[in-house]
Amino acid sequence: MGEPMQQLSDSQVITRILDGAEDDYAVLVKRYKNSLCRVIYGYTRNWDDAEDLTQDVFIKVYKNLERYKAKGNFSSWLFRIAVNTSINFIKKARLRSVPLREELLVIDTEQHNDAPEVSMQNMTKEIYGGLDTLNQNEKKAFVLYHFGKKTYEDITAVLNKPMNTIKSYIHRARKKIRRHLIQKGIFQ
Amino acid sequence: MSEAEYNHDCTFRRYLQDYLDGALSTQDEKAFIKHLDECERCLSEVQQYRKIASTITADVDHSVGDDFEKSVLRKIRSVPLQKGTHIHMLQSLRKWVYVAAAAVVLVAIVPLVIYFITLKTPVESTPNVTAKGDGFFGLQDAIAATSDKTIRTITEGAVVLSDTAIDHSVKSITTITDSLNDNLRSNLVQLVPGAYPQNLTGELESTMNVIKINLQKFYDDMVTPWKNII
């Protein structure tokens, strides 16, 4: 796949795919796979699950590529599907009572007690604990911003909410997570 | 940290989130950075938010493998997409749904329409029915012919024909009614499981009886007198 293909817009690539160039879908997969996988990981907290779900999302999107033509922004549509797929995955996992990210449930107490510096692992664990205190909208916006490295404009398009609402979600989410870390003694 | 300390009272604090987002104007940003030199609490809070962000960034430092695209392509080849495939399938499916719905309507509604038009309407109009082709044509001819004694024999024949026609009509209507009754019953049961075909049967039988009574009345009122005259 040459450089010119990478320079095509999402729309142009999709037009080629719909015209029969099925393999060009790899361009879109390559373009979004990492950020999409990070966003999904914000929910699954397990890279294997995140990669599996990322693949499922790309296949689901491919199957419905015709529909995208009328929708406009491919990236927003892709991430919206990813977020919804992740939420469904979490719901099902909870129904099955499968613990998420088991490795994080092991608290690194030795390091925590001995060192004034909080271990990275414990800090990470409690950040995810803080994520669980967020409401659905706050979590979506926060994960898209901090995990997916999406801009406020991108998130506005994905969640279909005004910019100020998105800012408010993210700011509230940060404050809640910080408060959670203070309550857990991670922050002084 | 107490709640009061968590929400420390600082006039600059309202700029903190926008500062983290890099959303302050150059002037406001300079003022806020200067404030951070003076306000330990705001500085600490900024550092904590940055720690949260950097911890997440470190935790999600993960790259999906290079063979990922190939794997996705392999899977989508099992569900190849041709332009418009799904839309066309939906349109095709929708067309068949319409056809099926139309067929159901025809099967279910047409007998009902026939029932109301063919069976019910004559109940009200039977005494006046004299149209051609309805089995009473001979009677009409007979009535017209009575003024002409020369064709009395023809009239007699017509009255006899009318008599037979009425019997024939009753038999025909009975057959049609039974047939419609069966169709309606089976269609109703198919369409609405648990429907009450026995009620329908009762209604049709009742209608049939009314038709028979009306035909008999017509026969008695119109044909018998002419028989007596003849």
Side-chain angles (χ1 to χ4, degrees), chain A residues 137 152-153 155-166 169:
Chain A
N137 283 325
Y152 280 151
E153 287 81 1
I155 301 169
T156 297
V158 173
L159 300 185
N160 200 23
K161 306 260 188 193
M163 173 83 81
N164 281 338
T165 306
I166 297 300
Y169 287 155

Side-chain angles (χ1 to χ4, degrees), chain A residues 66 128 152 174-175 178, chain B residues 6 17 21 48 59 77 84:
Chain A
E66 267 286 344
Y128 284 102
Y152 280 151
R174 280 181 190 148
K175 288 174 187 173
R178 176 172 170 261
Chain B
Y6 171 75
Q17 293 291 339
D21 290 337
Q48 287 174 346
D59 193 50
R77 280 192 191 111

